[in-house]
């Protein structure tokens, strides 16, 4: 369905641009690295050190170890230290000095809550990455100091693989997200259930939603109590011509007995069996005759009226089943983490239960084993309560486990264990550390470190202006009083609501006999849709569309506001609430954010877009990176991407790309703005 223009000569508004850190970076690594080396050789005489925007991380998170890699390379250069594995620092030998600013007590939450006030930070620091939660001594992590391995009260199941802890760390349980959500006392089963609002937030299938029109309810409408039966559920999927479809389902009863374990033949042509995840192959699935409708029928018979389903990222399983169930416990949300992150099932199984699952020597996951594990995790939570879980200090254990991953060679280990202080000492230089008197750090007592302690943040700043030019490497630490846990939680909720509302548009009015399917296709063409509902409270119907990214919402507004669609002149706008009153100002500021310049958002990209772009790379002069976000569980490419470039922002692209690979527009201008997600944080 092509919308008509109401006014002749009307064009899309001026394109906007931004760069969004994706869930996964995909690209031709070797080709890009060759481009890096070529660029280093072909730079003009006036050289300046700079950090490349191209990342090769598996996700948007930069670990403390990776940051330490960059700092060491910045000090010594490639002749003495390997290049960072996740970024490129051009012309390291032209780097005059390195300055690390640490804002102790502030987080990404503060940055996005007061985004408009942080004008200088937004313009000065071009790159923003998410980092793991800081350890007890963040400085020791990033500088690479050898420090005592201190782990909190760890579960017995993992003690054997960890170094002996001579003393337990004092853990502030009140700050633990599990305690903040559930309290410290034991809770009943009903307290662990996701509320309807939470199910909506985490995209569980619910009755009345447009994307769940053909979903089958389980008919479980009984009254749930703390004694209701639990059933562990896990599904494996494949990729078909229509998307992800079910290939295996396992259902485990509370006693551990598997009551259902079925292979399922998808209705559509399979394009990828996802064998590394599912363990399913063409040979295994060929003789199978069971269909999705057969599984749905059996589940409706097996589950009692008050059944509670337990799973890990259970929303994906229910969507694969195309079923709606009102009572769920999701262990990825039950064992809650900060900043919306989730523990993997494999980690929780080892840390909580002492079990090794999803072993690398096995082909794919065992759905029955995963279903049984989620059930055991839920029962453990109910038996021991939130306080016991918080005392396990899972976050510290997770960070420790990541730090203990084996390296490839002995030389790699030796280089990894070299601290920034040792790097500086090897070239006869010292490190400057500016901080407040009250702040304690192992760095302060280290030799080869010039420590200046001040009485206030203002004095730290004044000293920094004088001392930084005298040192090749400086660390400047400012300290702030953190917000209370209750205020932090409230701020976090409101920011999430704000970005959700900014990514939501209302469109209409439409004729009462409008083609709803065509309208849904039209609005989905601007980007991934989280939720789309039909509004019937008005005289004429409207649509409410919640997009996954702000770029898509902005593109819909700019493309369709004031346009004739099926004979009606529609208005496309964001909801007007107290949180969106400054939306226009915020969008304008996002355009000026240094991270957003030179990045193009494209919607409607196909699976072959990457190969097509690489074949015609001469069209995109100055292109530095192509970012193709993927679904972390299925591995399927999402229908949009980002192009990071050093070319002028108003470049027309549409006509050179294959039909269907870009959004249609009159000039092909497809670059748009975007929102800083809650999964990013500024680092210097």
């Amino acid at each position: 369905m092509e919308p008509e223009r109401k006014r002749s000569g009307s064009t899309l508004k001026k394109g906007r641009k931004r760069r969004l850190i994706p869930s996964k970076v995909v690209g031709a690594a070797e080709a890009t690295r060759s481009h890096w080396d070529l660029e280093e050789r072909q730079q003009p005489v006036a050289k300046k050190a700079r950090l490349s925007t191209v990342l090769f991380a598996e996700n948007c998170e930069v670990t403390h170890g990776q940051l330490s890699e960059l700092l060491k390379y910045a000090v010594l250069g490639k002749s003495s230290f390997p290049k960072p594995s996740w970024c490129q620092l051009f012309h390291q030998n032209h780097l005059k000095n390195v300055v690390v600013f640490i804002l102790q007590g502030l987080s990404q939450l503060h940055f996005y809550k007061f985004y408009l006030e942080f004008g200088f930070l937004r313009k000065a620091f071009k790159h923003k990455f998410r980092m793991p939660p800081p350890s007890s001594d963040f400085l020791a992590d990033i500088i690479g100091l050898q420090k005592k391995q201190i782990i909190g009260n760890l579960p017995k199941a993992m003690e054997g693989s960890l170094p002996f802890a001579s003393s337990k760390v004092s853990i502030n349980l009140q700050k633990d997200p599990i305690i903040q959500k559930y309290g410290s006392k034991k809770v009943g089963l009903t307290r662990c259930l996701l509320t309807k609002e939470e199910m909506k937030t985490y995209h569980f299938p619910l009755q009345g939603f447009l994307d769940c029109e053909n979903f089958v309810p389980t008919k479980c409408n009984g009254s749930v109590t703390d004694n209701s039966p639990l059933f562990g559920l896990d599904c494996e999927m494949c990729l078909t011509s229509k998307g992800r479809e079910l290939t295996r389902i396992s259902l485990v009863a509370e006693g551990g007995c598997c009551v259902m374990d079925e292979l399922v033949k998808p209705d559509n042509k399979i394009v990828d069996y996802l064998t590394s995840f599912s363990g399913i192959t063409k040979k295994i699935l060929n003789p199978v005759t069971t269909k999705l409708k057969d599984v749905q029928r059996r589940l409706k018979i097996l589950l009692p009226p008050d059944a509670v389903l337990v799973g890990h990222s259970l929303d994906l399983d229910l969507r694969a089943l195309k079923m709606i169930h009102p009572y769920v416990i999701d262990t990825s949300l039950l064992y809650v983490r900060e900043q919306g992150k989730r523990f993997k099932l494999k980690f929780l199984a080892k840390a909580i239960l002492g079990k090794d699952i999803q072993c690398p020597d096995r082909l794919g996951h065992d759905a029955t084993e995963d279903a049984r594990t989620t059930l055991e995790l839920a029962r453990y939570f109910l038996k021991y309560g939130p306080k016991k879980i918080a005392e396990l200090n899972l976050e510290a254990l997770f960070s420790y486990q990541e730090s203990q991953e084996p390296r490839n060679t002995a030389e790699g280990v030796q280089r990894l264990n070299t601290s920034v202080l040792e790097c500086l000492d090897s070239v006869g230089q010292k490190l400057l550390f500016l901080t407040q008197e009250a702040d304690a750090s192992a760095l302060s007592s280290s030799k080869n470190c010039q420590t200046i302690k001040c009485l206030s943040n203002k004095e730290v700043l004044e000293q920094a202006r004088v001392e930084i030019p005298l040192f090749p490497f400086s660390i400047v630490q400012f300290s702030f009083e953190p917000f209370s846990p209750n205020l932090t939680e409230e701020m976090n909720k409101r920011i999430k609501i704000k970005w959700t509302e900014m990514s939501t548009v209302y469109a209409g009015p439409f004729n009462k006999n409008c083609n709803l399917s065509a309208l849904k296709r039209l609005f989905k063409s601007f980007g991934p849709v989280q939720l789309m509902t039909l509004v019937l409270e008005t005289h004429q119907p409207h649509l409410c569309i919640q997009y996954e990214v702000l770029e898509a919402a902005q593109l819909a507004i700019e493309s369709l506001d004031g346009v004739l669609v099926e004979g009606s002149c529609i208005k496309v706008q964001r909801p007007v609430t107290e949180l969106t009153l400054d939306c226009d100002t915020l969008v304008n500021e996002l355009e000026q954010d240094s991270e957003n310049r030179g990045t193009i958002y494209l919607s409607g990209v196909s699976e072959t877009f990457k190969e097509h772009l690489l074949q015609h790379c001469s069209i995109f002069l100055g292109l530095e990176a192509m970012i193709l976000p993927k679904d972390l569980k299925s591995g399927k490419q999402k229908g949009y991407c980002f192009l990071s470039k050093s070319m002028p922002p108003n470049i027309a692209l549409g006509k050179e790309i294959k039909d269907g690979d870009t959004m249609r527009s009159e000039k092909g201008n497809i670059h748009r703005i975007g929102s800083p997600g809650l999964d990013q944080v500024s680092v210097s």
Side-chain angles (χ1 to χ4, degrees):
M1 178 181 64
E2 288 283 354
E4 301 177 48
R5 288 281 161 193
K6 182 183 178 184
R7 296 172 296 274
S8 176
S10 173
T11 62
L12 296 180
K13 295 181 183 178
K14 182 180 178 181
R16 299 187 174 116
K17 62 276 178 189
R18 89 166 297 265
R19 176 174 176 276
L20 181 67
I21 300 296
S23 58
K24 181 165 282 194
V25 178
V26 182
E30 293 80 3
T32 311
R33 287 195 179 276
S34 298
H35 169 71
W36 279 348
D37 296 335
L38 182 64
E39 185 172 348
E40 278 194 308
R41 294 193 296 268
Q42 294 181 348
Q43 290 295 328
V45 178
K47 296 179 179 179
K48 184 179 180 182
R50 67 180 179 88
L51 188 67
S52 170
T53 60
V54 183
L55 304 179
F56 282 89
E58 282 298 306
N59 53 47
C60 56
E61 186 169 272
V62 176
T63 66
H64 300 160
Q66 288 174 326
L67 181 57
S68 182
E69 276 182 30
L70 174 61
L71 295 178
K72 293 173 196 176
Y73 179 73
V75 172
L76 292 181
K78 60 185 176 184
S79 61
S80 304
F81 203 85
K83 292 182 179 181
S85 60
W86 60 281
C87 66
Q88 179 79 347
L89 178 62
F90 290 115
H91 311 306
Q92 177 274 338
N93 57 329
H94 289 264
L95 195 64
K96 293 181 179 178
N97 51 18
V98 178
V99 184
V100 178
F101 290 97
I102 297 176
L103 307 182
Q104 190 77 22
L106 296 188
S107 69
Q108 59 181 358
L109 177 64
H110 302 83
F111 181 77
Y112 294 120
K113 170 64 177 176
F114 305 105
Y115 182 79
L116 295 177
E117 282 75 18
F118 283 124
F120 175 75
L121 282 180
R122 289 188 279 109
K123 293 174 182 176
F125 298 102
K126 183 178 180 181
H127 308 293
K128 302 181 183 71
F129 310 124
R130 185 181 72 196
M131 295 187 69
S135 63
S136 56
D137 197 343
F138 172 69
L139 275 176
D141 286 342
I142 64 169
I143 301 304
L145 291 177
Q146 297 295 314
K147 59 182 185 295
K148 295 179 181 179
Q149 300 289 352
I150 301 175
I151 303 296
N153 186 18
L154 300 172
K156 292 183 179 179
M158 298 206 63
E159 283 178 355
S161 61
L162 297 173
F164 176 74
S166 58
S167 61
K168 294 180 180 180
V169 169
S170 176
I171 306 169
N172 188 345
L173 296 181
Q174 297 307 313
K175 291 186 177 181
D176 191 285
I178 290 180
I179 298 295
Q180 291 181 0
K181 181 173 182 179
Y182 297 102
S184 57
K185 295 181 180 179
K186 291 184 180 180
V187 296
L189 183 153
T190 53
R191 179 67 180 85
C192 298
L193 296 176
L194 290 182
T195 65
K196 187 173 182 178
E197 194 60 37
E198 286 175 321
M199 292 179 73
K200 181 178 177 181
T201 300
Y202 295 110
H203 316 302
F204 277 77
L206 292 171
Q207 284 186 318
F209 285 12
L210 289 178
D211 60 344
C212 304
E213 288 175 343
N214 300 319
F215 281 41
V216 177
T218 57
K219 301 290 186 179
C220 294
N221 49 12
S223 179
V224 175
T225 68
D226 288 343
N227 296 317
S228 292
L230 299 175
F231 291 85
L233 175 69
D234 187 68
C235 296
E236 301 298 340
M237 284 77 86
C238 68
L239 286 180
T240 72
S241 56
K242 296 294 184 180
R244 291 192 314 181
E245 292 192 46
L246 184 71
T247 52
R248 183 183 176 186
I249 173 176
S250 289
L251 187 71
V252 177
E254 195 161 356
C257 176
C258 182
V259 294
M260 185 178 182
D261 186 16
E262 288 280 351
L263 292 171
V264 185
K265 179 70 70 73
D267 293 328
N268 299 288
K269 182 182 177 181
I270 298 174
V271 296
D272 190 339
Y273 284 86
L274 300 177
T275 305
S276 60
F277 296 101
S278 67
I280 305 296
T281 63
K282 182 178 181 180
K283 183 178 180 181
I284 292 173
L285 214 55
N286 265 345
V288 175
T289 58
T290 303
K291 290 289 193 176
L292 178 62
K293 61 182 180 181
D294 302 319
V295 170
Q296 293 172 336
R297 191 183 306 113
R298 281 197 62 191
L299 274 177
K300 290 170 70 174
I301 296 172
L302 279 172
L303 295 175
D306 61 340
V308 175
L309 291 180
V310 182
H312 201 80
S313 297
L314 191 56
D315 56 306
L316 300 177
D317 298 315
L318 289 172
R319 288 191 175 276
L321 286 166
K322 293 189 176 180
M323 297 192 78
I324 296 172
H325 187 79
Y327 314 125
V328 297
I329 295 176
D330 192 322
T331 49
S332 71
L333 300 170
L334 184 67
Y335 289 84
V336 61
R337 296 181 72 186
E338 293 179 346
Q339 302 167 353
K341 294 190 288 186
R342 305 189 193 188
F343 290 116
K344 292 182 178 180
L345 181 62
K346 181 180 175 71
F347 168 78
L348 289 176
K350 182 66 174 176
I352 304 294
L353 307 173
K355 296 175 56 173
D356 288 308
I357 66 170
Q358 301 173 1
C359 299
D361 57 347
R362 184 189 299 162
L363 183 63
H365 298 176
D366 184 331
T368 302
E369 180 183 60
D370 288 356
R372 189 175 285 119
T373 300
T374 61
L375 197 55
E376 291 175 16
L377 286 169
R379 291 169 61 192
Y380 187 98
F381 193 97
L382 292 169
K383 181 178 180 179
Y384 293 103
K387 185 179 179 182
K388 174 69 173 178
I389 307 299
E391 288 173 346
L392 297 179
N393 202 359
L394 293 175
E395 202 66 61
L397 179 57
F398 181 76
S399 299
Y400 173 79
Q401 191 183 68
E402 280 202 326
S403 70
Q404 293 301 107
E405 290 180 357
R407 305 291 165 175
N408 291 333
T409 63
E411 182 184 2
V413 172
Q414 185 176 359
R415 284 173 172 172
L416 183 75
N417 291 333
T418 302
S419 70
V420 171
L421 283 172
E422 290 169 329
C423 292
L424 288 168
D425 188 49
S426 68
V427 291
Q429 297 175 335
K430 295 187 74 173
L431 180 147
L432 170 67
F433 181 39
L434 281 165
T435 186
Q436 289 195 46
E437 290 277 1
D439 294 330
S441 171
L443 186 62
S444 304
S445 56
S446 300
K447 68 174 186 176
N448 204 41
C449 174
Q450 178 68 47
T451 301
I452 300 177
K453 293 196 172 184
C454 306
L455 297 176
S456 64
N457 285 330
K458 183 178 180 181
E459 188 179 344
V460 170
L461 180 60
E462 291 171 349
Q463 288 287 342
R465 286 171 172 160
V466 175
E467 300 290 342
I468 282 177
L470 307 178
F471 289 82
F473 196 107
S474 305
I475 298 176
V476 182
Q477 181 167 276
F478 298 96
S479 299
F480 303 90
E481 283 293 325
F483 289 164
S484 68
N486 290 339
L487 181 57
T488 299
E489 183 179 4
E490 181 62 26
M491 282 175 56
N492 199 15
K493 286 181 180 178
R494 291 180 70 82
I495 291 175
K496 286 182 178 179
I497 294 171
K498 183 185 182 78
W499 288 111
T500 297
E501 290 180 350
M502 287 183 63
S503 301
T504 300
V505 298
Y506 283 86
F510 299 104
N511 294 324
K512 292 183 179 180
N513 59 349
C514 62
N515 187 334
L516 188 58
S517 297
L519 288 176
K520 287 165 66 175
R521 286 196 302 271
L522 174 63
F523 282 96
K524 284 182 178 180
S525 69
F526 296 109
V529 173
Q530 295 275 30
L531 182 65
M532 190 182 302
T533 54
L534 187 62
V535 180
L536 299 174
E537 301 298 322
T538 51
H539 176 63
Q540 289 180 280
H542 287 66
L543 278 178
C544 174
I545 307 102
Q546 180 186 326
Y547 286 101
E548 184 178 313
V549 291
L550 178 57
E551 288 90 344
Q554 189 69 21
L555 182 54
I557 292 171
E558 295 182 0
S559 301
L560 293 182
D561 187 33
V563 169
L564 285 172
V565 178
E566 291 196 341
S568 295
C569 179
I570 66 169
K571 186 169 184 61
V572 183
Q573 60 187 338
R574 292 185 175 89
V576 179
T577 70
E578 61 180 21
L579 296 177
T580 59
L581 288 175
D582 63 350
C583 182
D584 290 341
T585 303
L586 187 53
V587 168
N588 289 333
E589 286 298 316
L590 282 166
E591 290 183 283
Q592 304 305 318
D593 194 308
S594 59
E595 187 187 29
N596 297 337
R597 296 182 192 137
T599 297
I600 301 173
Y601 163 70
L602 284 78
S603 176
V605 298
S606 66
E607 292 283 348
T608 60
F609 176 74
K610 177 179 70 173
E611 289 73 19
H612 186 78
L613 181 63
L614 292 174
Q615 290 171 7
H616 300 83
C617 57
S618 60
I619 297 172
F620 306 93
L621 297 176
L623 183 64
E624 287 188 328
M626 175 171 53
I627 301 163
L628 292 165
K630 282 192 172 185
D631 184 282
L632 287 177
K633 187 159 186 177
S634 70
K636 184 179 179 182
Q637 179 183 315
K638 295 188 176 182
Y640 64 96
C641 74
F642 298 88
L643 300 181
S644 178
K645 60 184 179 57
S646 57
M647 49 191 167
N650 290 326
I651 182 171
L653 299 177
K655 299 305 178 183
E656 287 83 25
I657 306 177
K658 286 167 60 178
D659 289 342
D661 279 344
T662 70
M663 280 303 306
R664 294 180 296 274
S665 68
E666 295 178 9
K667 294 185 179 179
N669 292 327
I670 48 182
H671 35 282
R672 297 289 179 246
I673 65 99
S675 63
L678 290 174
D679 60 345
Q680 300 174 46
V681 61
S682 286
V683 295
S684 56

